[in-house]
Amino acid sequence: MTDYRTLFDLQGRRALLLGAGGIGGEAGRALAAHGAEVVCADRDTATAEATAAAITAAGGLASALALDVTDPDDLEGRLDEVGDVDVAVLTAAMNVRKRLLDYSPDEFDRVVALNLRGSFNVLRGVGRRMIARGAGSIIAFSSIRARTVEPGQGVYAATKAGLESLVRTAAVEFGDAGVRVNAIAPGVVETPLTAQIKADPEWYRAYATKGALGRWSQPSELAGAVVYLASDASSFVTGSTLSVDGGWTAVDGRFTPPA
């Protein structure tokens, strides 16, 4: 019989964070709290070290690693260094908020290089190793922008839609080996990346009231979804995108008509 008390137990598992700041940092702390050893990887060494230190200070097991997902050779070498991982969480992403006609080719290339090609590199590198072991869970962060677009978000949205397609494909191709691949799509989250919006009270309120819950989320509110997809609680979940958006994609428009 299934022992439901242990569904979320991650004791003895190793998790690799690819993007250790913000949402990634909260995910790492949550995974460690459920027993996982966490390898905190980030292009910025200080970010990786800070998250690893926070996990260790809370009694968890963690290490830090400098890693660039846009560089396939660096990624492959670092994955060899890390060794076996049971869970990989990819949060690394960027955005250049501009309308399409204002976008430069260089800006387009930079956003696509990290958000889409970086994701491709991770799925290949981590997926190949998990397939060889016959088990694993890959969790990639998408966005509500994969489905709902606004002016200035076109290229970012395109990369997230592409990421979700890669996730579904990887789930199908890796499934026979026992490897699960899923995505999480957050709504509006209070992070340094959204400081520009928070600085504009009207813009900030418009985003808050768009969702069913009428507020922004905190990075910690994404962590439960990560633990779920990393654990045995989601053992039959693959190829899915889990929306954690406060009902953003459930609401039609920003006007509440009279009943």
Side-chain angles (χ1 to χ4, degrees), residues 35-52:
E37 173 194 349
V38 183
V39 180
C40 305
D42 200 283
R43 184 160 49 184
D44 179 55
T45 305
T47 297
E49 291 176 344
T51 297

Side-chain angles (χ1 to χ4, degrees), residues 126-167:
V126 173
R128 183 181 297 112
R129 289 164 173 80
M130 287 184 173
I131 287 169
R133 295 181 62 217
S137 174
I138 302 174
I139 305 160
F141 268 75
S142 179
S143 167
I144 55 171
R145 293 299 169 218
R147 289 174 295 288
T148 60
V149 184
E150 68 177 4
Q153 295 273 57
V155 177
Y156 178 81
T159 62
K160 291 304 184 179
L163 167 62
E164 290 191 10
S165 289
L166 286 176
V167 163

